[in-house]
């Protein structure tokens, strides 16, 4: 089957590359010439574990065709996936400009039997609106909502190991066709085995927890509106879980409890679960911030009180300020001039710095006149091209960042930061204090080495 994918971002490129390893021919369109040229060379333009292998395979087999041309991508395509970004508007609602522009662009080339499957995160009602626009020209085209649940840094793993496949449409035959494509990915995944692409999943998920149940048991067919609401509410719930963990961390800190012990115990209740229950700097990235504010805006538009999500956002904003106040407190005791920050990406396993809590923290530290020496295994090029400040130095390694600093902050829990030679770090630093803003370091071991250790809620 000829499949087109519009938008070669994290979702589109991962889906396209993996799908090209099945029987389908995939045309992956983006409007950015540079991105398309990189993909044509068999690699990704962003860091995502395991993805290059699939892109290279697809390019070599000729089944993955990167293109700038709507005509080439859409003509005779049976299914067109829209995987475009939906950033935030100033009022918090989701901006659908890219979606509607793409509809205008694909409309002239659509075949009357085509299916348009929307994977982008959109407010409830968008797919029906798109259906109306397209049906003005092509009565036979059917729109499907097919939300994506992959997370960055485990995009390949998540695409191959779908815990549920949600498909919304008014048309049973359209749902069936999109489901059959997803089932082809599922079959490919069963053939490959889940261990191959699990490098970074252990950070939040236990790979063992994925049990490949029958595809039909994971396939959930519903209306367009229900499928759209699944996506935004899933992300908002995950953000709520993290903010709840951070709220309890604030309490633990005031009450002399250790949040890691508390969350480990709470998480063992199978009704609650351990995932997304880690306290720290709070949630960021390209999805949670915009989806939570998007759902708040949607709720308001239909007259439903969104207080729960407003509280979730407010706790999230407090987490970074709490770390800044800890730094200021320490500096009052003994002046802190230079701070080493380990981690710039919004989470480990990615070079993505969109809405990155570590970066917001750094900006606040710079505003408070501290000198910052930061290091990240992957995100240095992104930061150096987007953010320059006289008092921010980007270091060559974690040790280089620590050199001469008065305080070290663990801001992103990259696995390599957890295994550093902290005895060596101690010899490099001027003052030996650590703020573990992700609660992932071994507190006891660091204290034995001679560090003053401060966590979040510990
Ligand atoms: C998120 C969802 O997890 C995906 O299911 C969804 O498909 C995706 O958004 C999307 O809408 O496209 P992602 O943004 O890649 O994926 O990142 P997550 O791994 O969910 O992490 C989000 C943020 O929460 C990060 O800043 C992370 O550091 C933070 N986090 C996560 C915590 O602070 N504590 C936790 O326990 C878990």
């Amino acid at each position: 089957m000829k499949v087109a994918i519009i938008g070669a971002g994290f979702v589109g490129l991962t889906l396209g590359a993996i799908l090209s390893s099945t029987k389908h021919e995939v045309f992956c369109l983006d409007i950015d010439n540079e991105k398309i040229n990189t993909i044509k060379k068999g690699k990704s333009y962003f860091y995502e574990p395991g993805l290059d292998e699939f892109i290279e395979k697809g390019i070599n087999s000729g089944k993955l065709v990167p293109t700038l041309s709507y005509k080439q991508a859409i003509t005779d395509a049976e299914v067109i996936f829209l995987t475009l970004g939906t950033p935030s508007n100033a009022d918090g609602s989701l901006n659908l400009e890219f979606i509607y522009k793409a509809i205008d662009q694909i409309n002239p080339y659509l075949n009357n039997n085509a299916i348009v499957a929307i994977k982008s995160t959109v407010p409830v009602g968008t797919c029906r609106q798109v259906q109306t626009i397209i049906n003005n020209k092509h009565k036979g085209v059917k729109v499907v909502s097919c939300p994506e649940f992959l997370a960055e840094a485990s995009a390949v793993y998540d695409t191959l190991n779908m815990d549920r496949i949600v498909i919304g449409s008014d048309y049973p035959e359209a749902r069936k066709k999109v489901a059959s494509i997803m089932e082809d990915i599922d079959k490919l995944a069963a053939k490959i085995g889940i261990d191959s692409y699990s490098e970074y999943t252990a950070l939040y998920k236990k790979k063992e927890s994925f049990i490949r149940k029958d595809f039909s048991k994971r396939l959930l067919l519903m209306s367009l509106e229900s499928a759209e609401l699944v996506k935004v509410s899933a992300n908002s719930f995950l953000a709520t879980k993290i903010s709840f963990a951070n709220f309890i961390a604030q309490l633990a800190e005031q009450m002399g409890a250790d949040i890691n012990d508390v969350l480990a115990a709470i998480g063992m209740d199978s009704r609650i679960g351990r995932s997304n229950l880690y306290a720290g700097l709070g949630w960021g990235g390209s999805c949670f911030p915009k989806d939570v504010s998007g759902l708040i805006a949607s709720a308001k538009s239909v007259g439903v009180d969104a207080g729960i999500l407003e509280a979730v956002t407010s706790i999230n904003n407090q987490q970074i300020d709490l770390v800044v106040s800890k730094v200021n407190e320490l500096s009052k005791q003994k002046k802190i001039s230079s701070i080493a920050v380990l981690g710039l990406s919004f989470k480990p396993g990615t070079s993505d710095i969109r809405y990155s809590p570590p970066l917001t923290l750094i900006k606040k530290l710079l505003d408070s006149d501290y000198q910052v020496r930061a290091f990240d295994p992957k995100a240095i090029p992104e930061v150096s091209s987007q953010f320059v400040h006289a008092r921010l130095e980007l270091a060559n390694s974690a040790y280089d960042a620590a050199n001469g600093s008065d305080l070290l902050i663990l801001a992103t829990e990259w696995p390599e930061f957890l295994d550093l030679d902290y005895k060596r770090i101690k010899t490099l630093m001027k003052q030996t204090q650590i703020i573990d803003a992700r609660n992932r370091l071994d507190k006891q071991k660091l204290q034995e080495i001679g560090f003053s250790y401060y966590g979040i809620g510990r």
Side-chain angles (χ1 to χ4, degrees), residues 8-29:
F10 277 95
V11 173
L13 185 53
T14 309
L15 174 68
I18 291 178
L19 202 52
S20 71
S21 275
T22 67
K23 61 185 183 225
H24 303 292
E25 192 186 16
V26 185
F27 287 73
C28 200
L29 179 141

Side-chain angles (χ1 to χ4, degrees), residues 10-11 121 148-154 158 164 204-205 231 234-235 238-239 241-242 245-246 274-291 316 345-348 350 352 355-358 411-413 438 440:
F10 277 95
V11 173
T121 304
E148 178 57 59
F149 303 106
L150 70 77
E152 288 178 32
S154 56
D158 294 341
R164 78 279 207 203
Y204 293 129
K205 303 172 206 173
K231 172 64 202 237
N235 273 2
L238 293 172
K241 241 184 130 179
I242 301 167
N246 283 327
R274 186 67 171 108
S275 67
N276 276 60
L277 206 60
Y278 290 84
L281 264 189
W283 39 270
S286 64
C287 305
F288 286 1
K290 84 172 170 70
D291 291 351
N316 200 50
S345 55
F346 83 96
K347 67 171 184 180
T350 177
D352 198 340
Y355 293 93
S356 167
T412 313
E413 68 281 29
R438 295 291 180 176
R440 298 295 174 113

Side-chain angles (χ1 to χ4, degrees), residues 258-444:
D258 185 328
I259 189 65
N260 279 11
D261 292 340
V262 176
L263 293 176
I266 298 174
M268 282 175 82
D269 182 330
S270 60
R271 292 167 304 174
I272 298 174
R274 186 67 171 108
S275 67
N276 276 60
L277 206 60
Y278 290 84
L281 264 189
W283 39 270
S286 64
C287 305
F288 286 1
K290 84 172 170 70
D291 291 351
V292 171
S293 62
L295 193 52
I296 293 174
S298 291
K300 285 185 178 160
S301 74
V302 291
V304 172
D305 180 68
I308 182 170
L309 293 181
E310 281 160 353
V312 163
T313 307
S314 150
I315 292 168
N316 200 50
N317 294 337
Q318 290 161 22
Q319 291 310 109
I320 292 171
D321 292 336
L322 285 173
V323 174
V324 177
S325 349
K326 269 184 212 283
V327 176
N328 290 338
E329 277 308 310
L330 290 174
S331 189
K332 268 190 221 152
Q333 290 160 29
K334 190 164 178 203
K335 189 168 166 47
I336 289 174
S337 307
S338 175
I339 302 174
V341 176
L342 299 188
L344 293 162
S345 55
F346 83 96
K347 67 171 184 180
T350 177
S351 57
D352 198 340
I353 55 166
R354 286 176 290 174
Y355 293 93
S356 167
L359 215 54
T360 310
L361 170 68
I362 288 174
K363 287 176 186 164
K364 292 199 174 197
L365 293 173
L366 293 169
D367 286 346
S368 307
D369 288 339
Y370 296 105
Q371 185 87 29
V372 175
R373 288 175 63 76
F375 175 70
D376 187 281
K378 295 286 174 197
I380 297 273
E382 270 81 352
V383 175
S384 57
S385 65
Q386 292 174 41
F387 183 63
V388 181
H389 191 287
R391 269 179 283 103
L392 171 66
E393 269 181 78
L394 296 175
N396 297 319
S397 68
Y399 300 103
D400 183 26
N403 200 1
S405 59
D406 301 301
L407 167 71
L408 183 140
I409 302 179
L410 177 80
T412 313
E413 68 281 29
W414 280 92
E416 41 268 72
F417 293 158
L418 312 186
D419 285 336
L420 292 171
D421 178 353
Y422 280 95
K423 282 189 183 145
R424 182 176 160 207
I425 298 236
K426 183 170 173 262
T427 62
L428 295 169
M429 291 176 67
K430 268 206 231 141
Q431 296 185 51
T432 45
Q433 35 199 8
I434 288 188
I435 296 182
D436 177 6
R438 295 291 180 176
N439 286 349
R440 298 295 174 113
L441 297 172
D442 187 335
K443 176 178 175 179
Q444 203 184 333

